[in-house]
């Protein structure tokens, strides 16, 4: 069995971060979101992985390499532009050959991994098998209607009137039957080959499309709000450890990891939180659900429920919260200007100034 990982999207919902960085490489708990997916694939016993890449291919290649760090053998599959998930299957035909495969969206996060569903598919392969999850707003997703046995009866892409609250969760398992389906469908109104259309074609051809409803935690990390929520969830599972330096005047409370080479001086850190290697925190407060990446400098500042990427700095900044700060960003205090009022007042005027 092989894996096809999609890492070619442009990440428009995460701009401006993704103007200069791949959305799949934005870190949560100081590790790129893509890495969690690759680790889940390796844990499921799959080693042969194709990664579909687009304009950020050089960055993805530099981060993942040949895959050996994950116990994987990685092949890169260029996609000229993001033309849909089914298009990714189409262009990966040579790599996939006649093998069954799991398709994993590189910006999705499944907390409990995919080992169970992969094992079940190996023992009892259907034509297709999709992971589903219940969501509050199904109109933003591909939505499935299933019967009491989990067989998928119908699929719609971002329906205005959803018939269920079961969203397709970004993990799919296929036999070779899917190749006929992706070749048979036409582009959607938005000009993409939709995987939901390919699955619906399989259903219409009376192929067997099964499903598993995820009971654990899942997120599509396509926007800042979801990225911060995944960061919070991962930090809550963090194993506390202090490998860096913490002086006697500092206070460390709860699940906190201070990575090697980091320094904490005269500061208070309340977990769950992580301070990356080489970062320096002085006279500051780092609050819950915060990830500070490598080589950052935080001085006389307060940060909580945020992600700060590498080589960024805060100097004399009051409470920052629910923020995603990019790489090599400098946040400083504006010099206070003298307060003054400039007035042009006509005859017989009355002016009241409170300060």
């Amino acid at each position: 069995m092989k894996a096809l990982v999609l890492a070619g999207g442009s990440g428009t919902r995460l701009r401006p971060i993704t103007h200069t960085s791949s959305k799949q490489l934005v870190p949560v708990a100081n590790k790129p979101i893509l890495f969690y997916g690759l680790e889940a694939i390796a844990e499921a016993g799959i080693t042969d992985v194709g990664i579909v890449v687009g304009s950020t291919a050089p960055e993805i290649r530099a981060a993942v390499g040949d895959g050996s760090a994950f116990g994987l053998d990685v092949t890169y599959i260029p996609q000229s532009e993001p033309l849909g998930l089914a298009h990714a299957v189409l262009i990966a035909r040579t790599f996939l050959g006649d093998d069954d495969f799991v398709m994993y969206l590189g910006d999705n996060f499944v907390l409990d991994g995919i080992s169970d569903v992969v094992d079940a598919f190996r023992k009892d392969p259907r034509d297709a098998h999709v992971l589903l999850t219940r969501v509050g707003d199904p109109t933003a997703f591909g939505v499935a209607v299933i019967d009491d046995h989990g067989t998928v009866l119908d699929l719609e892409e971002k329906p205005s009137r959803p018939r269920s609250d079961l969203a397709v969760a970004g993990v799919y398992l296929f036999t070779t039957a899917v190749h006929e389906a992706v070749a048979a469908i036409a582009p959607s109104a938005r000009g993409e080959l939709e995987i939901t259309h390919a699955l619906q074609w399989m259903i219409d051809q009376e192929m067997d499309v099964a499903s598993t409803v995820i009971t654990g935690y899942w997120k599509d990390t396509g926007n800042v709000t979801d990225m911060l929520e995944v960061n919070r969830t991962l930090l809550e599972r963090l194993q506390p450890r202090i490998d860096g330096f913490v002086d006697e005047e500092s206070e460390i409370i709860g699940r906190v990891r201070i990575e090697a080479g980091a320094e904490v001086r005269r500061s208070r850190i309340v977990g769950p939180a992580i301070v990356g290697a080489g970062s320096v925190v002085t006279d500051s407060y780092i609050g819950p659900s915060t990830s500070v990446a490598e080589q950052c400098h935080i001085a006389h500042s307060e940060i909580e429920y945020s992600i700060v990427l590498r080589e960024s700095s805060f100097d004399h900044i009051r409470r920052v919260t629910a923020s995603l700060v990019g790489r090599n960003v400098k946040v400083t205090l504006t010099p206070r200007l003298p307060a003054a009022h400039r007035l042009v007042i006509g005859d017989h005027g009355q002016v009241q100034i409170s300060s």
Side-chain angles (χ1 to χ4, degrees):
M1 194 171 186
K2 292 178 179 175
L4 186 66
V5 177
L6 276 57
S10 56
T12 55
R13 291 180 293 162
L14 277 174
R15 289 177 180 168
I17 298 294
T18 50
H19 279 309
T20 55
S21 177
S22 165
K23 66 176 180 176
Q24 294 85 9
L25 294 181
V26 176
V28 285
N30 282 9
K31 182 162 65 177
I33 191 70
L34 175 62
F35 288 12
Y36 293 99
L38 294 176
E39 289 169 354
I41 288 166
E43 288 169 4
I46 300 171
T47 57
D48 202 358
V49 178
I51 301 182
V52 177
V53 291
S55 59
T56 60
E59 191 178 9
I60 299 287
R61 286 175 180 268
V64 177
D66 63 2
S68 58
F70 305 90
L72 304 173
D73 181 10
V74 167
T75 299
Y76 292 96
I77 303 167
Q79 187 180 34
S80 57
E81 54 182 314
L83 295 175
L85 306 188
H87 180 260
V89 176
L90 200 63
I91 64 172
R93 184 69 176 90
T94 300
F95 165 76
L96 294 169
D98 294 326
D99 292 305
D100 297 343
F101 67 98
V102 56
M103 183 168 75
Y104 196 112
L105 305 192
D107 59 352
N108 273 223
F109 180 79
V110 182
L111 183 61
D112 297 324
I114 60 171
S115 295
D116 290 347
V117 70
V118 168
D119 288 343
F121 190 80
R122 283 190 171 116
K123 294 173 184 175
D124 183 20
R126 310 295 179 90
D127 295 307
H129 194 120
V130 297
L131 265 62
L132 305 175
T133 186
R134 299 192 184 279
V135 295
D137 179 16
T139 61
F141 301 91
V143 176
V145 176
I146 63 175
D147 66 14
D148 293 340
H149 304 288
T151 300
V152 181
L153 305 177
D154 191 43
L155 279 161
E156 293 182 278
E157 183 66 27
K158 297 181 175 64
S160 56
R161 295 182 178 179
R163 294 163 55 198
S164 87
D165 63 350
L166 292 172
V168 180
V171 178
Y172 313 77
L173 298 100
F174 293 112
T175 65
T176 55
V178 72
H179 298 300
E180 184 181 2
V182 298
I185 62 173
S188 65
R190 59 178 184 168
E192 296 188 3
L193 292 176
E194 311 284 0
I195 199 65
T196 48
H197 292 179
L199 286 162
Q200 186 62 51
W201 185 91
M202 297 174 78
I203 294 168
D204 294 341
Q205 302 302 311
E206 298 184 349
M207 294 184 185
D208 191 358
V209 179
S211 70
T212 296
V213 178
I214 298 173
T215 56
Y217 184 84
W218 168 85
K219 274 290 182 184
D220 168 8
T221 60
N223 60 52
V224 173
T225 300
D226 289 337
M227 190 74 73
L228 292 172
E229 176 62 18
V230 171
N231 189 62
R232 181 193 66 79
T233 300
L234 284 168
L235 289 176
E236 287 180 347
R237 297 161 66 103
L238 187 73
Q239 293 301 313
R241 193 175 70 236
I242 297 179
D243 293 331
F245 171 79
V246 178
D247 72 1
E248 294 181 354
E249 298 178 68
S250 295
E251 186 177 16
I252 307 296
I253 302 171
R255 292 181 176 272
V256 175
R257 179 175 297 176
I258 309 298
E259 296 188 335
E263 298 181 17
V264 178
R265 300 179 184 276
R266 300 179 303 280
S267 296
R268 187 169 187 256
I269 301 183
V270 179
I274 184 170
V275 178
S279 290
V280 179
V281 179
T282 56
D283 301 298
S284 295
Y285 166 76
I286 305 295
S289 305
T290 301
S291 294
V292 176
E294 303 80 15
Q295 304 298 326
C296 292
H297 286 78
I298 314 294
H300 304 280
S301 299
E302 301 176 356
I303 305 172
E304 66 181 13
Y305 194 61
S306 295
I307 299 172
V308 181
L309 303 193
R310 61 182 173 83
E311 298 178 353
S312 291
S313 63
F314 285 74
D315 189 9
H316 285 85
I317 302 300
R318 296 180 63 183
R319 189 67 58 97
V320 172
T321 187
S323 300
L324 173 58
V325 179
R327 298 172 296 182
N328 198 25
V329 170
K330 297 187 187 327
V331 183
T332 57
L333 191 64
T334 300
R336 187 178 295 275
L337 299 176
H341 302 287
R342 182 175 183 272
L343 306 174
V344 178
I345 303 171
D347 297 347
H348 311 295
Q350 292 187 14
V351 178
Q352 292 182 330
I353 298 175
S354 61
S355 62

